[in-house]
Amino acid sequence: MANEKVTALFSTLHSSVEILQKELDMSYLESLVETGENILDGKEPRIIDGKPSEEAAKELRKLYATVSFDEMSAEEIRQAVQLAILKGTKEDYLQPNHQMTPDAIGLLMVYLIRTVFKERKESVKILDPAVGTANLLSVVYNQLRSDGLQVSAEGIDNDDLLLSIASVNIDLQGLEDIRLTHQDALGNLLVEPSDLVISDLPVGYYPLDTNAAKFETSFEEGKSYSHYLFIEQGLTYLKNDGFAFFIVPANLFQMDESKTLLSYIQKVAYFQGFIQLPKEFFKNEQSRKAILMLQKKGAQAQQAKEVLLAVAPDFRERESLQRFIAEVVDWKEKNLK
Ligand code: SAM
């Protein structure tokens, strides 16, 4: 449940969005970006060609004056922004491939990362090549920071509106050491290899055949699957021994084409786990997702004797969650170096 500070900030963001939508004739999410930029710009509404009107600007200033980030943690600010993004997703009818990763999935990923990864290092560099609104990235970032790790991150997305939301989201939370880049993540990336790759992958066909042909997981004929190419790209920019956590369709390995993907994965990495997400999180079985856990080959890595194949419980069932975490810890002790 959101606390009072979270609901108050959400309500301020939402009221500002409503004013800007009317005044500037923009969508919910565009107005949310404008709101964030106004707050970051000394709580002063940007006026271009007399818009928003002086009267609306006065209203906005009054709203922004109620915002006090000093008394809020990054995580509380993230939660308020996330509520506004959720509202915008519904109002603007954002297609599923562009939708924010829900907190429940992000937190589950954090449990997995904590178990397999945390005690290995004091600092961690994360890459999310499909960063979207940066909700998933900032859930992971904030949780690992609160564990005392030094965290830096790279986020990439080719959608400029989503990347603007990500930028405002990160700046409002005051997160440092996160670099966002607007580009096709399947092109050449100007990023150093990361310790950890996380991503809620866009699923479907990748439109650029010439570029796809550079990947081993592309198809010889017809359009290739972007989620396959993203997995290959993620592994390319991962350090040896590093872990990748991809949110993928739960039926990923039930398709005939998946042999190409599996043989590529086995060439460069170890297939360590496949965790089905609770079915209650999804509208139907077709849209159900799973977390694919891979580890890049290296001196500190080995193939798990038993791949972690599990179904994650619903977060609201605390006992099942505790049992699940204990199972993962036990699996880690027996299977990873
Ligand atoms: N984790 C994100 C969040 O919390 O908001 C949501 C990711 S969303 C499911 C998938 C993202 O992939 C979208 O933001 C979309 O714009 C991005 N995407 C799709 N194709 C891309 C490409 N070729 N290069 C970079 N990003 C891409």
Side-chain angles (χ1 to χ4, degrees), residues 97-101 129-136 157-159 162 183-185 200 202 206 230:
N97 250 344
H98 281 181
Q99 286 175 15
M100 176 182 81
T101 311
V131 72
T133 65
N135 193 52
L136 173 66
D157 208 284
N158 66 353
D159 184 301
L162 292 175
Q183 77 161 99
D184 179 351
D200 184 356
Y206 179 61
F230 263 86

Side-chain angles (χ1 to χ4, degrees), residues 4 13 19 32 54 60 79 82 94 98 101 113-114 128 141 160 165 174 246 280 292 308:
E4 271 169 31
L13 295 173
I19 295 173
L32 180 61
E54 196 38 57
L60 290 170
Q79 285 171 21
Q82 173 248 10
L94 220 55
H98 281 181
T101 311
I113 295 172
R114 277 191 175 131
D128 184 346
Y141 182 102
D160 46 358
I165 296 174
F246 296 112
E280 295 76 18
L292 169 64
L308 176 65

Side-chain angles (χ1 to χ4, degrees), residues 275-292:
I275 297 97
Q276 303 264 357
L277 295 167
K279 65 174 185 304
E280 295 76 18
F281 285 7
F282 303 95
K283 276 200 201 102
N284 51 42
E285 201 52 36
Q286 274 83 8
S287 56
R288 191 165 176 187
K289 299 273 169 100
I291 297 180
L292 169 64

Side-chain angles (χ1 to χ4, degrees), residues 13 53 78 104 116 129 140 148 151 153 159 181 188 246 249 295 297:
L13 295 173
S53 65
R78 186 196 62 73
V116 303
V140 173
V151 192
D159 184 301
T181 308
N188 288 331
F246 296 112
Q295 186 176 18
K297 289 186 176 171

Side-chain angles (χ1 to χ4, degrees), residues 161-233:
L161 174 60
L162 292 175
L163 204 69
S164 303
I165 296 174
S167 171
V168 156
N169 194 2
I170 282 165
D171 288 346
L172 289 173
Q173 292 180 59
L175 307 185
E176 290 158 0
D177 276 343
I178 300 187
R179 194 172 67 134
L180 297 176
T181 308
H182 180 221
Q183 77 161 99
D184 179 351
L186 300 174
N188 288 331
L189 307 182
L190 279 174
V191 299
E192 297 287 322
S194 298
D195 305 293
L196 189 60
V197 173
I198 59 169
S199 209
D200 184 356
L201 300 181
V203 176
Y205 292 109
Y206 179 61
L208 308 178
D209 293 340
T210 332
N211 196 24
K214 296 176 194 152
F215 289 80
E216 289 185 38
T217 51
S218 63
F219 300 143
E220 277 176 22
E221 277 171 34
K223 297 257 171 283
S224 298
Y225 281 151
S226 55
H227 43 302
Y228 286 19
L229 309 181
F230 263 86
I231 292 173
E232 180 173 339
Q233 185 77 326

